[in-house]
Amino acid sequence: MAAEPARRGPSGRTGSPSPDGHGTPAGRPVVVFDLDGVVVWTEHLWEESWEVYCRRHGAPWTRDDTLRVQGMSSPEWSRDVAGRIHSRTGARVDPEHVYESCVAHMRDALLAGRGPLLPGARDLLTDTAAATVIGLASSAARPVIDTVLEREGLAGLFAATVSSEEVARGKPSPDVYTEALRRLGVPPATAVPLAVEDSANGIRAADAARMRVVALPNRDYPPGEDALALAEHVAADHDDARAYLRSALEAVP
């Protein structure tokens, strides 16, 4: 978005296309993963960052507030947090300061070893990347995405990564997924791509992007039945998701 600072401009790792020129091996669909709640256990850290920031400014932050902003892009939740503080205390804070403070909180937590990989996440990613091209479409701010992938040595697995702060709208709008598919070079005639999501707004975003959704329900912030009904498969755990993706990829003629 042209109005945002340079650090929020379009970026992401784009790998070389495969021999078919479509970014997918032998016509197999690409798979795009969410980050928070699918790869790493970090949703509670985001909630903590918002709660800490609001407490410093004399405003409460509730679980309902967290559920409302989940999936929003960082510019969206920064404005929301600033608005909540104003409505509850009358104080005005700069959304840019909200962003900088909360993202710094997240990076400090991650670099201190908090927000570990979820059990089975590494195998889920590496096995899927061995079978097809994978991407990442996350609501997390770009500095947080890069910190996680670099900390865990996972950056090289992804042909493209997208933060929703790099598109017009956050989840549940499909923008972050459609941008990931664009960067992956997926043409309209390619096999329908797959998405792996844990949250209600994430599932809705991937479904709105006309992707096949594998739901991996977040244990702390479980999606409702209405969102789960949009998924092609609801996985019991990461191993189940990995097995389902393997079958889905092998089923392509």
Side-chain angles (χ1 to χ4, degrees):
M1 297 184 297
E4 295 294 323
R7 60 175 168 74
R8 295 189 186 179
S11 60
R13 299 172 178 81
T14 304
S16 300
S18 61
D20 69 2
H22 293 165
T24 57
R28 286 183 175 180
V30 301
V31 180
V32 182
F33 293 88
D34 180 36
L35 182 70
D36 298 304
V38 170
V39 179
V40 283
W41 184 42
T42 45
E43 293 281 15
H44 66 296
L45 297 179
W46 282 110
E47 182 173 43
E48 179 182 283
S49 77
W50 300 320
E51 192 276 331
V52 167
Y53 188 90
C54 286
R55 187 171 67 243
R56 286 175 182 162
H57 290 81
W61 184 264
T62 68
R63 175 56 61 95
D64 285 344
D65 291 325
T66 296
L67 295 176
R68 184 186 65 258
V69 303
Q70 276 184 331
M72 286 185 180
S73 67
S74 52
E76 290 169 337
W77 59 249
S78 296
R79 291 191 294 267
D80 185 278
V81 171
R84 290 288 155 173
I85 290 172
H86 178 63
S87 68
R88 291 168 180 174
T89 71
R92 293 191 180 276
V93 297
D94 183 356
E96 186 69 16
H97 186 263
V98 177
Y99 173 94
E100 292 172 353
S101 179
C102 293
V103 168
H105 183 102
M106 287 294 298
R107 291 193 74 248
D108 288 347
L110 291 166
L111 293 173
R114 301 176 68 195
L117 282 182
L118 287 158
R122 189 178 297 276
D123 288 342
L124 174 62
L125 294 176
T126 55
D127 284 13
T128 307
T132 191
V133 172
I134 70 171
L136 185 139
S138 175
S139 298
R142 169 56 63 183
V144 173
I145 293 173
D146 291 344
T147 298
V148 169
L149 298 186
E150 290 163 11
R151 186 191 72 177
E152 300 297 337
L154 297 171
L157 294 178
F158 295 95
T161 65
V162 186
S163 165
S164 62
E165 70 182 15
E166 298 161 359
V167 296
R169 301 169 298 175
K171 301 172 184 177
S173 295
D175 300 23
V176 69
Y177 276 106
T178 55
E179 175 63 11
L181 296 176
R182 187 192 69 78
R183 295 188 194 182
L184 289 167
V186 179
T190 302
V192 178
L194 290 137
V196 183
E197 269 286 357
D198 69 303
S199 69
N201 281 341
I203 292 168
R204 293 187 182 102
D207 178 72
R210 300 187 178 183
M211 301 175 74
R212 301 164 60 190
V213 184
V214 176
L216 192 54
N218 191 297
R219 69 188 189 190
D220 297 318
Y221 310 91
E225 292 300 321
D226 56 335
L228 291 175
L230 301 174
E232 175 176 293
H233 178 69
V234 179
D237 53 28
H238 283 68
D239 288 340
D240 183 20
R242 178 163 57 100
Y244 187 84
L245 288 176
R246 183 188 309 119
S247 296
L249 294 172
E250 291 174 351
V252 176

